[in-house]
Amino acid sequence: MKTDIRARVERLLTRLEASPQYAGQGKVLFADLERQQLCSAYLPMEMVRTFLGGRGANMALLYNLYEDGRAPLDPAVPLIFGVGIMTTTLPSATRGNFTSCSPDSHAILDASGGDYFPAFLKRNGYDHLVMYGRSPQWTMLEIDGEQVSFRDATPYLGTDNMDFSAAIERDLGLKERETLAMARITRAGENLVLSSGIMGGPKAIWARGGAGAKMGSMQLKAILVKSKGKQLATSRDFKLGSKEIGHKILSTSVIQNALKQVGTPFLYKPSRSLGAIGTKNNQETTWHDTLDADNFDPYRPGMDGCYLCPVQCRAMNDLTPEGKGGWGANALKGLNGNASYDKAQAQLEHHHAKSYQGIHGDGKFDRYDHGDGPEYVTVGKFGPNIGISQPEQVLRLNNILNDLGLDSASTGGALGWAMELYQRGLITQADTGGLDLSWGNYPVVEQLLFMTSRREGFGNVIADCARAVEKGHYPAAALDYRMAVKGLFQSDPHDARILKAFALGLAVATRGMDHLRNRVTLEINARINDDPEFKSALYGGFVSAEPNSYIGKEHAVRRCENTYAVGDSVGMCRFNTKLFNSPSLPDLDDFSRQLRELVGLELNAAELEECGRNIIGLERLMNYRLGLRAADDTLPRRWFEEEIKVGPFKGEKIDRAEFEALKARFYTVTGLDEQGIPQPAWHARLAHIVTGFAVEVELPGSPVRTMVLDEPVENVAELRAALRRRLGPDAAALEDRSLNVAIDGTMVMSREAEQAVHDGSRITIVPALAGG
């Protein structure tokens, strides 16, 4: 029997606080979109100490409010936004996360983003927004300090990113990124396109998992923060610590010479030279040097970035005749670190000429010939992945994606998958509505993006993304060519058959095939690989120097996963967090010092790392509730069965037996059981903090021999029902009517609805004894 989301909210509110628990703590605002009612509370310190803020606290809130069995687009499944605990107070701490259940994949939805919305929300006094229910008509949530209200959104329906922003600025008399910050969806989100994101600016997007579709299912067009708010007061020591962190960021070579100059597209060259750039849906792993970052130089007029971030890593683009271009030109020349396994590539400069005369070559230009970006992901996914080699075409597709509010990773993944199916004859022009899906067919790709946002024709198939087989668009054989894990297309274009740590990370990542959860980027850093003592200290265990070795890679992925989870939860940008780009960027010691000054939390680096592990553990428990098991921590068939054909690591693929042994070691160092969830003692500890309830249940005959039930129940009858929901496909063993329940060693023989179950009880499911 389904319970009302409002009852779950009420139960949660009894465990939250009525007043701030530390100076500067923001509210948790609960917004019932159906009834347009609001209430608020504060997170308790025990929850903050265990999961911090942002991503971690979001998951604790979702874990309480989600009811097993509900579909992701059910309005009773909340959409939660949370800022990092130090968002706006640290250099590069600009981030916040949208969290829910993913309509795009089979896992959690958790997307991190920056720009100005997280900072403005925090400065207006809110740490988390919990939104649930379906508005009776399209609405917008408006926040201006203590004033929170709803505004009719129907005049803005059908607008995409640029037109929506212009209309809101006009109607409210405010300026985005100055007196206004917004999180909004485009028509793609309105149409429940599964790869649609939530836009946070001209380019910033909460992309992974279909957050736009989730927001659209609630008939919520936008969240508007109508003032900059007030900056949090901080101590002199905190300011000095922040200054030191800023210096650490700006003095790092990769920041100085790459991110500040050209942005993330600098990563294309090392992937290409390594023979590891995903090409034509990963059938190949090499592509043209025409998409090396310096080929974008003529169209790069400058850089932009998130609120008060000193890095400004977002490249602008301008293809028009008036565009200046040239920012960052020659920035990468001679940087051997840019191509660790092919130093000659570091000397290569293309000196690409500005030759663009409009997409049709007729001298006509339009709104998509200038904008923000692209990032490395978009270069890869809309370059080699779909057979495009011209930088001008990639730039234009990037600008269209930004306006349509589409995740370039999942949309590019869906397009690459469709193109390979077309190549192999699994779909034909009869299926595509006459569209020619040949590799590199730019006009069709551009057309398909607009069709996807509107769910028109074959665009409806692309809109269903990795679920196209499930939705009946493709035959089951198409799954052999789907480059996805847990139903989520790969986030970046780096083929991971060579780097085994990359491969493990993509397999075990909690939101699906996504490098931003645990990418061991420094595996291609020769200086680190040549210093075994430093590498072991960096990752907390021996990690082989050879990138294609399986030895010790579990330690590297574990350390990265913990660190990045903490970074997301304090609000730090991934690119400016230790291990992702450099070993000398801000680390857990830096965060520890600043948390003590800002919040009063006494958490050393080891304790913060445990916070990261707690966040991952809770995410894995949430995925278990969504039906995921250890078998879902895997990789696409292609990487196990097909070898790399080019480059210095020709012949590499993933060995199944070695991979399973590596995964088992990863489970052990993480503290997971054979199903990939926290061992009972750890689970019980998390449960007491998150839901306030935990009973250990022994389940003889079940694949899960011992589990912790963390959903509050009052009696044995409720316990049986909760176990069936929580175990999902593993619950078959409980259907035996001869099974009895024993509570703390005492058998329950009758009146199960009257037999109380208390927090901390030990439950045993045992066969009834009979004789004669």
Side-chain angles (χ1 to χ4, degrees):
M1 180 178 177
K2 299 293 186 184
T3 58
D4 191 281
I5 178 63
R6 296 175 187 88
R8 290 178 170 264
V9 169
E10 287 299 321
R11 185 173 68 192
L12 175 59
L13 285 169
T14 65
R15 303 186 57 248
L16 302 186
E17 304 289 349
S19 59
Q21 301 302 289
Y22 57 87
Q25 184 182 26
K27 296 178 181 178
V28 180
L29 177 67
F30 294 85
D32 184 334
L33 300 178
E34 181 181 358
R35 297 182 180 178
Q36 298 203 342
Q37 294 176 343
L38 304 163
C39 65
S40 62
Y42 295 86
L43 292 179
M45 280 303 291
E46 187 177 31
M47 196 173 287
V48 174
R49 171 176 288 278
T50 307
F51 301 107
L52 304 173
R55 170 182 164 187
N58 276 9
M59 192 53 56
L61 292 166
L62 177 65
Y63 201 84
N64 274 281
L65 297 176
Y66 175 71
E67 182 174 23
D68 295 340
R70 289 196 181 271
L73 296 181
D74 188 321
V77 177
L79 176 64
I80 302 169
F81 181 77
V83 300
I85 196 169
M86 292 193 287
T87 293
T88 80
T89 60
L90 289 184
S92 295
T94 64
R95 314 288 284 191
N97 285 50
F98 273 103
T99 304
S100 189
C101 302
S102 172
D104 186 20
S105 74
H106 300 285
I108 58 170
L109 184 163
D110 184 74
S112 174
D115 211 273
Y116 280 50
F117 178 77
F120 274 40
L121 185 72
K122 175 70 175 176
R123 289 172 59 119
N124 273 266
Y126 299 93
D127 283 356
H128 299 272
L129 307 177
V130 180
M131 297 157 286
Y132 55 92
R134 178 180 171 88
S135 174
Q137 66 178 32
W138 282 93
T139 192
M140 297 184 290
L141 184 65
E142 287 193 355
I143 298 172
D144 187 357
E146 294 291 326
Q147 301 299 313
V148 182
S149 59
F150 296 90
R151 176 185 287 264
D152 180 19
T154 53
Y156 306 100
L157 292 186
T159 56
D160 290 322
N161 196 29
M162 287 190 281
D163 287 342
F164 177 79
S165 297
I168 288 293
E169 287 183 340
R170 178 197 66 220
D171 294 346
L172 298 186
L174 299 173
K175 180 68 174 175
E176 188 170 17
R177 305 178 99 212
E178 294 180 9
T179 52
L180 172 69
M182 301 184 285
R184 67 278 198 169
I185 61 173
T186 62
R187 85 181 75 192
E190 295 170 19
N191 292 329
L192 308 186
V193 174
L194 298 188
S195 61
S196 63
I198 298 171
M199 299 303 299
K203 175 194 158 295
I205 181 172
W206 286 273
R208 310 260 49 214
K214 176 58 186 172
M215 193 161 158
S217 72
M218 307 170 93
Q219 296 207 141
L220 179 63
K221 178 69 174 177
I223 307 165
L224 313 178
V225 183
K226 295 172 60 179
S227 71
K228 186 183 293 187
K230 298 177 181 178
Q231 180 65 353
L232 300 179
T234 56
S235 69
R236 178 177 179 275
D237 285 344
F238 185 90
K239 290 182 175 70
L240 290 173
S242 293
K243 185 176 180 179
E244 182 180 328
I245 286 172
H247 176 74
K248 181 180 284 193
I249 292 170
L250 292 176
S251 62
T252 303
S253 176
V254 69
I255 304 295
Q256 283 184 346
N257 300 310
L259 284 175
K260 281 183 70 68
Q261 300 299 318
V262 302
T264 60
F266 84 92
L267 294 163
Y268 176 86
K269 183 187 282 189
S271 294
R272 174 183 62 75
S273 62
L274 197 63
I277 192 75
T279 301
K280 297 180 180 178
N281 201 39
N282 294 79
Q283 293 181 85
E284 303 167 16
T285 59
T286 187
W287 195 239
H288 304 285
D289 62 6
T290 52
L291 296 180
D292 287 358
D294 61 292
N295 287 300
F296 295 90
D297 288 354
Y299 306 110
R300 192 185 308 112
M303 307 293 287
D304 196 2
C306 299
Y307 178 75
L308 297 182
C309 178
V311 177
Q312 302 290 289
C313 69
R314 184 188 310 157
M316 309 297 286
N317 69 77
D318 194 337
L319 292 152
T320 67
E322 298 79 19
K324 299 297 182 183
W327 180 277
N330 304 310
L332 302 176
K333 189 173 182 179
L335 291 181
N336 291 335
N338 185 45
S340 303
Y341 288 91
D342 188 351
K343 293 185 178 180
Q345 289 287 332
Q347 304 304 321
L348 181 63
E349 286 283 330
H350 299 92
H351 303 291
H352 182 68
K354 185 173 184 178
S355 57
Y356 183 76
Q357 293 297 318
I359 197 60
H360 301 297
D362 55 5
K364 296 180 180 178
F365 301 86
D366 64 24
R367 68 194 316 195
Y368 297 120
D369 288 326
H370 56 88
D372 291 30
E375 303 291 346
Y376 164 60
V377 168
T378 305
V379 173
K381 287 292 188 174
F382 280 83
N385 178 61
I386 59 174
I388 285 177
S389 59
Q390 295 182 34
E392 293 84 359
Q393 292 180 346
V394 171
L395 285 170
R396 183 174 168 87
L397 291 173
N398 166 82
N399 296 338
I400 293 171
L401 288 162
N402 289 343
D403 190 39
L404 299 183
L406 295 174
D407 172 14
S408 63
S410 284
T411 306
L415 286 169
W417 186 28
M419 286 177 161
E420 181 172 2
L421 298 180
Y422 184 82
Q423 168 197 322
R424 294 180 179 277
L426 287 171
I427 61 174
T428 67
Q429 287 191 0
D431 302 297
T432 67
L435 296 178
D436 177 5
L437 296 188
S438 297
W439 299 108
N441 190 344
Y442 175 87
V444 166
V445 172
E446 179 173 315
Q447 179 184 357
L448 256 178
L449 291 183
F450 290 99
M451 294 174 65
T452 298
S453 73
R454 300 179 178 116
R455 282 191 173 270
E456 293 175 353
F458 191 70
N460 186 56
V461 178
I462 302 300
D464 281 331
C465 212
R467 292 185 182 258
V469 171
E470 179 185 325
K471 299 284 187 179
H473 301 306
Y474 298 152
L479 292 174
D480 280 342
Y481 308 102
R482 186 179 70 167
M483 297 303 297
V485 172
K486 302 179 181 73
L488 189 71
F489 279 115
Q490 186 179 355
S491 57
D492 77 325
H494 195 108
D495 190 295
R497 278 172 279 193
I498 297 170
L499 290 99
K500 302 308 189 282
F502 281 27
L504 174 65
L506 291 171
V508 302
T510 51
R511 70 177 179 186
M513 199 175 183
D514 197 290
H515 71 295
L516 291 171
R517 304 305 261 194
N518 52 30
R519 168 62 55 84
V520 189
T521 310
L522 301 179
E523 277 290 271
I524 58 172
N525 186 305
R527 293 179 63 187
I528 291 174
N529 286 332
D530 289 342
D531 189 340
E533 290 186 7
F534 180 80
K535 190 169 187 180
S536 293
L538 192 65
Y539 294 124
F542 176 77
V543 181
S544 171
E546 289 73 30
N548 58 336
S549 168
Y550 296 86
I551 297 173
K553 305 304 180 182
E554 66 274 12
H555 297 295
V557 174
R558 174 74 273 126
R559 176 62 59 84
C560 287
E561 202 161 71
N562 291 346
T563 302
Y564 301 165
V566 171
D568 283 341
S569 301
V570 301
M572 197 67 168
C573 175
R574 181 75 76 255
F575 294 117
N576 302 323
T577 301
K578 182 178 179 177
L579 300 181
F580 193 72
N581 276 319
S582 168
S584 58
L585 283 164
D587 58 16
L588 299 186
D589 283 317
D590 294 309
F591 299 155
S592 171
R593 182 182 65 248
Q594 295 301 88
L595 281 170
R596 182 173 60 252
E597 285 296 323
L598 185 70
V599 181
L601 278 178
E602 295 287 345
L603 294 171
N604 61 32
E607 290 168 324
L608 278 179
E609 188 168 359
E610 182 65 10
C611 289
R613 194 177 74 104
N614 288 336
I615 294 163
I616 299 299
L618 191 57
E619 289 176 347
R620 284 189 158 270
L621 287 168
M622 189 69 214
N623 276 342
Y624 183 89
R625 294 173 64 182
L626 295 174
L628 295 177
R629 301 294 184 266
D632 297 293
D633 284 341
T634 188
L635 294 165
R637 174 203 61 82
R638 168 161 283 148
W639 285 1
F640 289 112
E641 299 178 8
E642 300 175 22
E643 297 178 347
I644 295 278
K645 298 180 177 66
V646 298
F649 293 92
K650 181 180 178 181
E652 283 292 331
K653 62 179 181 179
I654 306 296
D655 181 277
R656 286 187 184 273
E658 291 274 18
F659 172 79
E660 289 300 327
L662 173 59
K663 187 174 81 173
R665 297 195 301 271
F666 175 80
Y667 281 10
T668 298
V669 300
T670 305
L672 306 175
D673 68 10
E674 63 273 17
Q675 287 299 318
I677 61 174
Q679 296 277 5
W682 180 23
H683 185 171
R685 189 165 67 251
L686 294 177
H688 278 118
I689 296 165
V690 176
T691 67
F693 183 90
V695 294
E696 190 169 307
V697 185
E698 294 182 22
L699 299 164
S702 169
V704 183
R705 292 184 294 276
T706 302
M707 71 166 291
V708 172
L709 181 66
D710 51 32
E711 177 183 341
V713 296
E714 294 185 359
N715 55 59
V716 172
E718 289 184 8
L719 175 113
R720 283 188 184 270
L723 283 175
R724 283 193 292 270
R725 287 194 303 273
R726 192 57 56 91
L727 286 167
D730 300 326
L734 297 181
E735 300 305 318
D736 186 345
R737 295 179 64 86
S738 69
L739 294 177
N740 279 352
V741 174
I743 303 177
D744 296 324
T746 301
M747 192 80 73
V748 178
M749 306 299 294
S750 63
R751 298 181 178 178
E752 290 190 342
E754 299 175 14
Q755 296 293 323
V757 175
H758 300 288
D759 175 40
S761 293
R762 185 174 182 84
I763 310 296
T764 308
I765 308 297
V766 294
L769 299 178

